Amino acid sequence: MSHRIDRRFGDLRRAGRKGLIPFITAGDPLPEATVAIMHALVAAGADLIELGVPYSDPVADGPTIQHASERAIARGIGIARILGWVSEFRQVDSTTPIVLMGYLNPIEIFGYSRFADAASAAGVDGVLIVDVPVEEAETVAPLRAAGINEIFLVAPTTTDRRLSAIRAQAQGFIYYVSFAGITGASQLDTAAVRDRVAHIKQGGDMPVAVGFGVRDAATAVEIAASADAVVIGSALVACLAETGDIESAVAAAGAFLAPIRAALDASRS
Amino acid sequence: MNRSVTVSDFHAYPDAHGRFADYGGIFMPETLMPPLEELTEAYLAMREDPAFIAEFERDLKYYVGRPSPIYHAERLSKKLGGAQILLKREDLNHTGAHKINNTIGQALVARRMGKRRIIAETGAGQHGVATATVCARFGLDCIIYMGAVDIERQKINVYRMKLLGATVVPVVSGSKTLKDALNEAMRDWVTNVADTFYIIGTVAGPHPYPMMVRDFNAVVGREARAQMLEQFGRLPDVLTACVGGGSNAIGLFHAFLNDPDVAMVGAEAAGEGIETGRHAASLAAGRRGVLHGNRTYVICDDNGQITETHSISAGLDYPGVGPEHAFLKDSGRARYVGITDDEALAAFHELARTEGILAALESSHAVAQAIKLARELPKDRLILCNLSGRGDKDVHTIAAREGIAL
Ligand SMILES: Cc1ncc(COP(=O)(O)O)c(C=O)c1O
């Protein structure tokens, strides 16, 4: 059941397509809109959804995602409600993988075993916890035991010794952070990313998704030339932040993602 | 580890993963893991290197003005009628607090690692001033992150940092205070890892910071232990220190941890009272969580969101605490209590009028706890209180609180 992520990357590979992974902050811009936005993203070509769990002290995030988190926190959004939205989404969509992305403290406070049970029951496929490096993977062992994939980051600074340790623990896919910096910055160096992705892929056949700095169809196509999937976060979150009701948020999500999907598919060789 | 097991050697912590039993560790984004490994390796070599140690000790002596004396507050003790209060005078250090012990040490590490761009966070501005000071002294570039709210509260320290050549960057995210300044410094570091050294101001953050900052402040307890034996012929019965992140407290406690007859009490900021929720007492009233790279006690809500804290002293206004204190609390080696704003202010005035010493508001929490203990204990007991800093920086805050226009 929980290998929805593996199945999805397998299907993409067989079809010769690149994965498109939108990131949204759960509960932003409106709590009532989150599930509808998720469905709209799938309709517009999302292969996997990263759902950001808001946190008060997001050290790896730039202002766009910081502010989205602050708005969601102000509305009292926490893990229990987010898992409720995942269950609701799963009643309609049983194939699109969902990865929760965030920081450790909300899960630590929720309780690891409780989280593992509730998240797997809701239909969560993976977690990417920004402040859990491979050394601390033991902390989230109950999640793995419940069949939830643990996605790890690899950065431009990651040494080969660390890369081997990460490969040994990684599940689902490897998330390559395209530059040393925070989300929403724009320091993308496509050639450097290509070399690093090639290097990461040499060690095995775990798919590699690239995130940070991908903001539109052009940057997505450039990055997808080497990566198996691209992650788009801040640009989408910024676009949703301009909307004020469910209908406009849903329309904006679809309008944002569809051209990127089209460009990725058109660029297939 | 099993918490009922007694610890045989408190100096054996942290382990190689930076853990103090259940606490500490390295909870950081991957981008910063390699520079943290590099720092750990470099620092572990330096702490064994006689040339590094000699360089550090030379600066502590001739630049900071160490050793700081232990002063017997006889008039205060007599007035209270109980145990004797002894003050470890960190307020007499250059820049007026213990913070300089750590910034000298880390600046030396940065210089040896070839990093010339220094970043730091600051709340009250004391760590910012101590960092700007050593950057001027060693010719390093200095960028200080400070919450916009704190910049407004601590104008004099902001100007002091500028006079010392630092750039002060206002932080407008989150609650615009110390924890957000730390977040912003981390974001700078993640963006500029190649040439930047982050001087953290307390025993928090990811490994190796809690160990390294402790080591640099441990000079306080080492000196005090020797001074006690020399001046009083014995060790103190109890130590008191204020606890924000916990650097001055661990600095005093560390040398005494394996002396079972020396009791230790950390004074946290109870603000307007722990029961009001407006406090910063992470150990006394928080719960186990993960913040700024380590597992420790934190103040957060049921969703795991770090919540705003309150203290009259900006230096104690932090929702986490160093992981070694979390370990000392759980193992029972040290006790942590809350001191309210009002109790700290009363202690400030008491010390000023009986001994002619203006203590920092942070340190006044430790003095308040020493006063409580002195009233309970017999005359022949010795209480050693860490007077971590001087109060000049707080004169405006105290005047405003008491409705006096300067
Ligand atoms: C004089 C003084 N004491 C104590 C503190 C609190 O820090 P720590 O708990 O790390 O000693 C500060 C922080 O600014 C300070 O300036």
Side-chain angles (χ1 to χ4, degrees), chain A residues 47 51 53-54 65 78 84 96 120 130 166-167 169 192 213 221 245 249 256 260 268:
Chain A
D47 294 300
L51 204 49
V53 178
I65 294 177
T96 307
S120 81
V130 177
I166 292 169
R167 275 205 199 97
Q169 298 273 334
V221 167
D245 55 49
F256 179 89
I260 301 174
R268 269 194 289 165

Side-chain angles (χ1 to χ4, degrees), chain B residues 97-99 126 202 242-248 315-316 360 362-363 388-389:
Chain B
H98 70 291
K99 298 275 175 192
Q126 288 305 103
T202 188
C242 65
V243 178
S247 66
N248 86 87
L316 301 185
E362 291 81 8
S363 321
S388 58

Side-chain angles (χ1 to χ4, degrees), chain B residues 24-305:
Chain B
I26 316 186
F27 295 90
M28 290 300 277
E30 175 60 23
T31 310
L32 290 175
M33 292 302 291
L36 283 165
E37 282 177 0
E38 186 195 354
L39 172 60
T40 303
E41 201 175 311
Y43 173 64
L44 287 175
M46 286 180 217
R47 92 206 274 238
E48 306 295 329
D49 176 355
F52 177 82
I53 296 167
E55 206 176 0
F56 178 54
E57 287 179 350
R58 196 159 52 238
D59 266 353
L60 289 183
K61 182 168 178 189
Y62 297 107
Y63 189 66
V64 176
R66 302 205 71 89
S68 68
I70 289 181
Y71 166 73
H72 184 182
E74 275 179 277
R75 254 171 58 80
L76 175 61
S77 306
K78 203 163 273 162
K79 186 171 170 202
L80 297 168
Q84 305 307 304
I85 295 180
L86 315 175
L87 301 173
K88 178 64 174 162
R89 298 289 308 273
E90 290 300 296
D91 60 315
L92 298 177
N93 292 339
H94 178 43
T95 73
H98 70 291
K99 298 275 175 192
I100 191 99
N101 302 322
N102 169 46
T103 58
I104 291 266
Q106 288 198 55
L108 289 173
V109 174
R111 199 171 62 164
R112 285 186 166 225
M113 290 179 75
K115 311 262 181 188
R116 305 207 55 84
R117 180 176 180 272
I118 301 294
I119 57 172
E121 84 294 342
T122 196
Q126 288 305 103
H127 174 59
V129 168
T131 302
T133 298
V134 298
C135 287
R137 154 95 177 73
F138 293 119
L140 302 167
D141 294 338
C142 182
I143 294 117
I144 304 291
Y145 289 93
M146 188 168 183
V149 168
D150 290 333
I151 286 185
E152 202 44 48
R153 293 196 279 204
Q154 303 285 343
K155 287 187 183 136
I156 298 205
N157 271 345
V158 173
Y159 187 55
R160 282 171 83 193
M161 289 183 261
K162 289 181 180 165
L163 289 174
L164 291 161
T167 304
V168 180
V169 182
V171 174
V172 295
S173 57
S175 59
K176 305 181 177 64
T177 60
L178 177 58
K179 79 176 176 71
D180 309 284
L182 227 144
N183 293 340
E184 212 53 38
M186 297 262 186
R187 293 182 187 119
D188 177 313
W189 196 22
V190 114
T191 306
N192 301 292
V193 290
D195 65 343
T196 297
F197 190 98
Y198 181 12
I199 298 189
I200 296 185
T202 188
V203 284
H207 181 63
Y209 284 97
M211 169 181 78
M212 181 168 68
V213 176
R214 174 200 70 195
D215 290 350
F216 292 140
N217 271 305
V219 61
V220 176
R222 267 199 313 276
E223 265 175 28
R225 201 172 180 286
Q227 289 167 322
M228 287 300 303
L229 294 172
E230 190 191 309
Q231 282 172 249
F232 300 89
R234 69 179 187 93
L235 297 180
D237 297 291
V238 52
L239 310 175
T240 69
C242 65
V243 178
S247 66
N248 86 87
I250 205 73
L252 178 65
F253 293 176
H254 194 254
F256 296 94
L257 285 174
N258 288 331
D259 296 313
D261 295 334
V262 179
M264 305 178 181
V265 188
E268 292 190 295
E272 294 172 6
I274 286 179
E275 67 291 349
T276 66
R278 289 180 52 74
H279 63 81
S282 320
L283 289 163
R287 48 177 148 184
R288 189 204 280 212
V290 172
L291 176 65
H292 292 143
N294 67 87
R295 179 172 283 116
T296 185
Y297 280 78
V298 302
I299 298 174
C300 69
D301 66 18
D302 291 339
N303 284 331
Q305 310 300 348

Side-chain angles (χ1 to χ4, degrees), chain A residues 219-240:
Chain A
T219 45
V221 167
E222 277 179 42
I223 293 300
S226 56
D228 298 302
V230 295
V231 183
I232 304 197
S234 297
L236 172 58
V237 170
C239 159
L240 293 175

Side-chain angles (χ1 to χ4, degrees), chain A residues 79-150:
Chain A
I79 286 174
R81 284 187 70 191
I82 295 170
L83 295 181
W85 293 330
V86 174
S87 298
E88 198 183 325
F89 174 83
R90 279 278 170 256
Q91 285 167 13
V92 178
D93 184 328
S94 60
T95 56
T96 307
I98 296 177
V99 170
L100 297 188
M101 182 163 179
Y103 296 80
L104 188 57
N105 199 51
I107 300 178
E108 170 117 349
I109 297 301
F110 195 85
Y112 293 104
S113 302
R114 181 177 165 222
F115 178 84
D117 294 345
S120 81
V124 169
D125 302 290
V127 291
L128 197 174
I129 311 170
V130 177
D131 51 353
V132 176
V134 66
E135 286 82 349
E136 304 285 358
E138 192 49 35
T139 289
V140 290
L143 279 59
R144 274 177 188 258
I148 296 172
N149 281 181
E150 196 182 353

